[in-house]
Amino acid sequence: MAARARAEEAILREGPRRPGALAIDIYVPGKSKAPAGVPLRKLSSNETPFGPSPKAVEAFRAAAADLEIYPDGGARALREAIARAHGLDPARIVCGAGSDELLSLLAHGYVGPGDEGLFTEHGFLVYRIAILAAGGTPVVAPETNLTADVDAILARVTDRTRIVFLANPNNPTGTYLPFDEVKRLQAALPRNALLVLDAAYAEYVRANDYAAGIELVSSCENVVMTRTFSKAFGLASLRIGWLYGPAGVVDALNRIRGPFNVSGPAIAAGAAAVADREHIDRAVMHNARWLTELTEGIRALGLTVTPSVANFLLIHFPDEPGRRAADADAFLTQRGLILRAVGAYGLPNALRLSIGSEDANRAFLTALGEFAKDRQLG
Ligand SMILES: Cc1ncc(COP(=O)(O)O)c(C=O)c1O
C-alpha cells in the first residue's frame, strides 16, 4: 500500500512525460452567459445564426434509434458525402471529433521532443497547444498588418521544423493569404515539414484569389487541409472535422486516431449537412451582406476594423481609460451582447464579433453606438 502511495506521489511529482504539457495555457472558449433578465446574443464563438440544415437535424434524430451500436470506425458515409461535395477521393479523407482533434493528431504524428512547430503571431491558439502537447517547441512568426507573412514564416524555418500551421483565413483576425502566397510558402518549405492549411472558415470566403488548398494537397506530399462542420454547417456541438491529405499522412492518422473517433449521429448529420448546398448558400449570402454592413457601421462610429473574409470581425479600441476593449466588453455584456476578448491572442485592445442574426447585428450596432457616443469616439 505504502509502495503504491509512493508511486502515485511520483506520478504527481514527475508530471506528464511530454515536457511542454504543463506549459500549456488552458484554452478558454468564448463566454456564453448574459446578466439575468437580459436576452443573450452570443457572438463569441463564430457559430452560425442559421443553425444546421434541417436535413442534418432529421438525420441526427434518426440516428438516436441506434445509440447502443458502435459507429462505423471509418466514417465511410461521411467521407463519401464530403468527397462527392468536393470532388475528392474518399480514401484520402480522415474525419475527426472537430478539426481540433485532427490538428492535435497531426502534431502528435509529426512532432516530437526536439522538433519545432511553426505558426503565426495571432494564429489560432490550438496550434501552440497541439505542439506543446506533442512535446515539440512552438515557434512564432510575426505577422504584417495582422496577416500571415510568408517571408517571416520562412525566416523561422530550421532543420528542426516539422510542421507549419496556417489558418487561412485566420481566427481571430479574419485576414487571409492569397493562394499564390500559400503556394510560394509550400514551394520554399523543406519537404520533411508538413504544411497544415486550416481552412475552418473557407465556406465564407468570397475573394477570387483565395483557395482552401485542395489543389495543393493533390499535387504535394507535404500538405494537408483541415475543414470543419462547426462554422458554416452549424454543427459545432456534434464535433465534426475532416482532413484531406496525401495517402501517407492519411494512413498514419488512421493508425494513431481513436478507432471510433466520430460518433454515429455525427456521421449521419454531417453527411446530410454537406449535401444541403442551399442551406450553406443562404448562410454565406447572409454573412457577406452583414460583413460589409457591420464593417461600415462600426467604422462610422470611429473605430478601426480589420477587413475580414470570414464570419467574424476584429474591432480595435483606443488605448485610453474608459474606451478600451475591456470597457466595451463590459458595456456590451450588460446588454446581453457577448463578444470574444482576444488578449490571449496578443490583441488586448480588440474584441472579436461573430456575425449573428439580423436582430443580433442590429442590436450590436445600436449598443456600440451608445458606447461610442457616451465616450465621443466618432
Ligand atoms: C482557425 C480554426 N481552426 C479550427 C477550429 C476548430 O474547430 P472545430 O474543432 O470545432 O472543428 C477553429 C474553431 O474556432 C478555428 O477558428
Side-chain angles (χ1 to χ4, degrees):
M1 209 46 211
R4 182 156 168 211
R6 269 200 306 280
E8 278 171 9
E9 246 177 51
I11 283 175
L12 295 179
R13 202 174 44 246
E14 288 177 18
R17 299 302 293 159
R18 300 287 179 175
L22 298 183
I24 292 172
D25 291 323
I26 291 178
Y27 184 88
V28 182
K31 287 185 293 181
S32 55
K33 287 219 163 49
V38 181
L40 168 71
R41 294 184 172 105
K42 183 176 181 242
L43 303 167
S44 56
S45 299
N46 300 342
E47 295 146 343
T48 168
F50 280 77
S53 153
K55 291 175 185 152
V57 176
E58 201 180 303
F60 175 80
R61 290 217 168 95
D66 299 315
L67 294 184
E68 75 284 15
I69 314 283
Y70 275 98
D72 165 18
R76 174 181 285 273
L78 178 56
R79 284 188 298 109
E80 286 179 348
I82 294 167
R84 262 194 306 280
H86 292 273
L88 304 176
D89 174 3
R92 290 181 51 183
I93 293 173
V94 184
C95 296
S99 48
D100 279 345
E101 188 198 18
L102 298 167
L103 298 170
S104 153
L105 282 173
L106 286 163
H108 279 276
Y110 291 90
V111 180
D115 296 335
E116 292 172 352
L118 246 167
F119 52 92
T120 67
E121 189 179 355
H122 304 294
F124 185 43
L125 285 179
V126 164
Y127 307 149
R128 176 183 205 89
I129 295 175
I131 293 162
L132 283 169
T137 305
V139 177
V140 181
E143 297 184 359
T144 302
N145 296 328
L146 299 174
T147 308
D149 176 329
V150 169
D151 295 311
I153 297 172
L154 291 173
R156 272 146 193 90
V157 170
T158 71
D159 56 7
R160 292 191 295 193
T161 307
R162 286 291 171 277
I163 205 162
V164 178
F165 286 110
L166 179 74
N168 202 27
N170 183 49
N171 168 24
T173 53
T175 55
Y176 76 104
L177 274 189
F179 195 43
D180 280 349
E181 280 293 280
V182 178
K183 285 197 272 198
R184 187 163 77 83
L185 172 63
Q186 190 282 328
L189 278 182
R191 291 295 168 267
N192 64 350
L194 190 63
L195 175 61
V196 180
L197 301 174
D198 173 353
Y201 300 94
E203 282 77 11
Y204 287 115
V205 186
R206 288 154 56 92
N208 288 334
D209 57 356
Y210 173 81
I214 288 175
E215 179 195 318
L216 213 51
V217 176
S218 302
S219 57
C220 307
E221 285 300 309
N222 65 335
V223 184
V224 303
M225 173 194 70
T226 59
R227 303 285 286 262
T228 183
F229 281 76
S230 303
K231 309 298 176 185
F233 289 97
L235 291 170
S237 181
L238 273 187
R239 312 302 304 125
I240 317 171
W242 61 278
L243 162 155
Y244 177 55
V249 175
V250 166
D251 177 57
L253 293 190
N254 278 331
R255 290 168 196 272
I256 62 178
R257 71 177 170 82
F260 305 105
N261 62 334
V262 185
S263 73
I267 293 171
V274 76
D276 190 352
R277 197 58 247 174
E278 260 175 52
H279 185 78
I280 287 294
D281 288 346
R282 266 199 305 277
V284 171
M285 293 302 288
H286 171 90
N287 193 69
R289 172 187 160 206
W290 280 102
L291 212 46
T292 309
E293 290 206 19
L294 284 164
T295 302
E296 287 170 3
I298 298 163
R299 284 187 181 149
L301 297 173
L303 292 164
T304 308
V305 182
T306 301
S308 167
V309 294
N311 71 332
F312 53 85
L313 287 169
L314 192 65
I315 309 166
H316 303 270
F317 291 82
D319 190 9
E320 294 157 12
R323 297 166 155 196
R324 297 196 168 101
D327 301 307
D329 196 18
F331 183 95
L332 294 165
T333 300
Q334 280 306 312
R335 286 150 187 80
L337 291 152
I338 311 299
L339 274 67
R340 179 67 180 259
V342 283
Y345 284 94
L347 298 161
N349 231 0
L351 293 176
R352 192 192 67 196
L353 166 77
S354 305
I355 309 293
S357 64
E358 173 155 359
D359 162 71
N361 298 338
R362 291 198 191 286
F364 168 77
L365 278 178
T366 304
L368 191 70
E370 286 164 19
F371 178 81
K373 186 157 157 265
D374 291 353
R375 286 154 190 81
Q376 297 170 334
L377 285 181

